[in-house]
Amino acid sequence: MNAPLRINEALLIADRAFRPFQCVAWAPQDGNGELSLTVIDRTNTHIGRTQIPSSAYTDPAQLADCLKQARAELSQEGYTLQSWSMPE
């Protein structure tokens, strides 16, 4: 996957990256193009948060790196995620 990603594609990829938890994403109203991701568990408790600049979520390799780092942080905190890899 080398073509630039649209925001909807990036959101779908991020959602799958944090299963079995839910990933909620939004773009702040200040219009800086940053994407905020919050991972929540089954009790709606926030267990992780990351912010991804537009330059990273439009680039598949950078998005993969950001998501892998966020997944690693959750794993270090004791959360078990399903296996995941960046789609081709």
Side-chain angles (χ1 to χ4, degrees):
M1 179 181 281
N2 293 326
L5 295 172
R6 294 181 304 220
I7 191 166
N8 288 346
E9 294 169 318
L11 293 174
L12 286 172
I13 291 167
D15 182 57
R16 292 181 184 123
F18 296 103
R19 289 186 180 162
F21 305 107
Q22 183 179 2
C23 180
V24 179
W26 72 95
Q29 294 300 316
D30 61 13
N32 67 1
E34 195 169 73
L35 185 64
S36 294
L37 302 176
T38 298
V39 180
I40 59 174
D41 67 11
R42 291 176 195 89
T43 64
N44 288 331
T45 301
H46 294 193
I47 60 172
R49 174 173 279 158
T50 190
Q51 294 181 314
I52 302 173
S54 62
S55 60
Y57 72 73
T58 58
D59 179 273
Q62 288 185 46
L63 178 61
D65 288 343
C66 290
L67 294 175
K68 287 176 186 175
Q69 180 179 350
R71 285 175 52 88
E73 290 170 9
L74 286 172
S75 293
Q76 288 174 351
E77 293 175 17
Y79 296 101
T80 303
L81 299 166
Q82 294 176 357
S83 63
W84 174 82
S85 62
M86 188 70 177
E88 295 294 323

